[in-house]
């Protein structure tokens, strides 16, 4: 059992969705992968050609971090915000994946990051469907 | 001239929108006000009745912080994400303002925070219109 | 292999420390656990007695998030900052664990969170030793 | 009166230090300036020579954001963490300023950012002295 699942299980609010727990995990992995990919792109000789990739990585990391936090909270009511944040995260992940995929053949860090983004995009879609 | 405006003016990318610069300022003020309001609500004797207020404050602070960062970046291209993030921020601010306004008569921190949220909601709408 | 390890392995900068990679993982788990524990404490009937716990959870979550990001970056040089951030994270985790442990018998979420904090405190100490 | 000051004044906890309120303002300005400077450096033709500058900007932005949040909270007790976070922020700002100052003649965004970093470094030192 992951710490995410343990924290869900021990929360006073009952019956939280598996799709939301999976989405938190996907957001945390994607945020870290995007911060790492921005940093790895910056270290590449061809950094000047990777500006949009670095930009989308940085934006996606910020959005995923926020989404993981909003999804983690179960107390009180904020459904409209949760929905809008998940939608923004789905878009940020899709935009970042699209860019990273263009560099995946040349830079393995872009390939790994694109996969994390696609998993998170999918997890956001499933979390939205489960709301 | 604020530091935000100075940083805009000295950026290699020219011609950035005043509406976006104002929105960054509104997001930073709103994020700080929301973190402070959550903390002030937690200190109130009637904290148990302020759970949704604390929740919306915390979510709104996270979303505003991320929005300020995404808006600050001008290099590369990420327009679809910027639009989705501004929309999420507009919703988070509206939801938080709506809740804080219900406690504004009793708690002055909720009144000040609600005003910051409404300004940020408006600034996000104007930034979206300016894209 | 975790995504964190994959991103490390594919980065242009070689030879990164295992202790740093483990510390990133511990920070991400601890940040999420602390956000969840603050939220779970807020949902408890005895919320008024959990104010310091919620405060330390919120601070610890913010510090762990930042530490994970700083640790993830390998490009350029910022050793003095990395060291100071790891030290702050070690302190934040210790302070949060100490408080959560006092409620661990009554609230299982505090027990799980305290364990995540102690693991992160230890991981920060090991990362500092590996610098 | 700034929103930061209004939120301080309306908080149930009385007698908060002016030095802490000024430090919050300095952290928010510095975080935004650092995110903007990293982005402006990325847009420069000579980006490959600005890697350490971008790295220190990104780290400093994260640390300042977290410091502003920790400083904003007045409820509960977390003095040891507050002290360690302020010390980390002082170091991050000093390291970033030192690097930006080396590019200040060539890049005006580095000059403006270095000034924001030095103000924040000073504000952290004064906040530490006021604790």
């Amino acid at each position: 059992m992951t710490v995410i699942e343990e924290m869900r299980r021990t929360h006073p609010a009952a019956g939280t969705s598996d799709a939301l727990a999976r989405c938190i995990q996907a957001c945390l992995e994607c945020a870290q992968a995007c911060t790492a990919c921005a940093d790895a792109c910056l270290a590449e000789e061809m950094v000047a050609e990777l500006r949009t990739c670095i930009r989308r990585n940085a934006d996606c990391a910020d959005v995923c971090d926020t989404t993981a936090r909003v999804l983690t909270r179960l107390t009180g009511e904020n459904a409209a915000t949760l929905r809008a944040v998940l939608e923004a995260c789905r878009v940020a992940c899709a935009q970042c994946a699209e860019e990273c995929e263009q560099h995946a053949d040349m830079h393995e860090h872009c390939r790994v990051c694109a996969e994390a983004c696609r998993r998170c995009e999918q997890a956001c879609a499933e979390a939205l469907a489960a709301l």
Side-chain angles (χ1 to χ4, degrees), chain A:
Chain A
M1 186 160 34
T2 68
V3 177
I4 295 169
E5 288 163 342
E6 277 197 283
M7 291 305 300
R8 288 263 152 180
R9 193 176 51 76
T10 60
H11 194 289
T16 69
S17 153
D18 280 355
L20 300 196
R22 280 195 304 269
C23 193
I24 295 169
Q25 177 68 34
C27 284
L28 293 176
E29 277 187 11
C30 188
Q32 198 274 334
C34 285
T35 297
C37 193
D39 183 76
C41 286
L42 185 62
E44 297 287 354
E45 277 189 48
M46 60 181 285
V47 53
E49 299 166 54
L50 295 167
R51 286 186 177 104
T52 292
C53 198
I54 292 171
R55 162 69 187 276
R56 295 192 181 186
N57 276 320
D59 287 352
C60 194
D62 289 336
V63 175
C64 286
D65 268 350
T66 284
T67 305
R69 285 171 167 243
V70 173
L71 276 167
T72 293
R73 298 187 185 110
L74 302 169
T75 303
E77 191 278 321
N78 206 12
T81 297
L82 177 55
R83 188 170 287 277
V85 167
L86 278 169
E87 177 59 24
C89 194
R90 201 188 56 69
V91 172
C93 290
Q95 293 295 106
C96 191
E98 190 181 89
E99 184 66 25
C100 277
E101 283 163 1
Q102 293 181 33
H103 314 288
D105 285 349
M106 192 169 289
H107 303 303
E108 217 189 341
H109 52 81
C110 285
R111 180 187 59 73
V112 177
C113 185
E115 290 171 4
C117 289
R118 288 298 182 199
R119 280 196 300 273
C120 193
E121 180 192 6
Q122 180 67 23
C124 288
E126 288 171 14
L128 278 163
L131 287 183

